[in-house]
Amino acid sequence: MDEKLPYYMAYPMPLLYDDERQNQRDYEYMKSVYPGTAKRLIPYIEEECDRLEYTGSVMYDEYPDRLQLLLLCRRIYNRAKEDETKKDEAKEGEETGEWLQNLIQVMTYQELCQRRRENRSMRRKYY
């Protein structure tokens, strides 16, 4: 009973990267429970975001330009629509409408936000 615990045992240090790993796992799980339409859009969105992941990119601007973001979403929409029409030529004339463009915008902005957060946390570790 008279033994004193070392400082590192009395005040355990939390795992440094455990929070990030847990957040990433939660994010991946939430993406896995998206509805079918949203799941089909994920590869297009991730591909466009991968193209923007470089130093000085619009993605990492403090206030990204709204027009650039809309053009990004339009590119995603056009690619997804083109690929879907190639796959489902029997569904000609089916109107996807504005709701699909809105869904793409929301999912793209969420993905950009996630990548910006990851980028900020990586910069903090090394500098």
Side-chain angles (χ1 to χ4, degrees), residues 12-118:
M13 183 79 159
L15 297 174
L16 292 176
Y17 304 109
D18 194 43
D19 291 340
E20 291 174 28
R21 187 177 23 226
Q22 192 173 20
N23 289 340
Q24 186 64 27
R25 189 177 57 227
D26 287 346
Y27 179 67
E28 292 298 326
Y29 173 74
M30 288 302 177
K31 282 183 9 181
S32 74
V33 295
Y34 280 176
T37 304
K39 279 184 184 178
R40 289 197 316 258
L41 292 173
I42 289 174
Y44 301 109
I45 293 169
E46 288 180 344
E47 182 180 340
E48 282 295 324
C49 289
D50 288 344
R51 285 188 189 156
L52 287 178
E53 256 188 295
Y54 58 87
T55 305
S57 170
V58 172
M59 180 190 315
Y60 301 124
D61 287 349
E62 187 173 348
Y63 297 103
D65 182 38
R66 183 169 172 77
L67 178 61
Q68 291 295 324
L69 294 176
L70 290 174
L71 291 173
L72 171 70
C73 293
R74 175 62 72 166
R75 276 196 311 267
I76 294 169
Y77 174 75
N78 289 337
R79 282 205 62 208
K81 188 175 178 182
E82 178 183 308
D83 287 352
E84 288 297 317
T85 54
K86 286 179 185 176
K87 289 179 187 175
D88 302 329
E89 291 179 0
K91 294 183 179 180
E92 290 180 34
E94 186 177 301
E95 185 63 37
T96 53
E98 192 177 326
W99 68 269
L100 184 59
Q101 292 177 8
N102 291 339
L103 176 63
I104 288 172
Q105 282 184 354
V106 169
M107 290 177 65
T108 302
Y109 298 160
Q110 178 192 10
E111 184 70 22
L112 289 174
C113 188
Q114 176 70 19
R115 289 175 186 233
R116 288 167 58 104
R117 185 179 312 126
E118 289 172 2

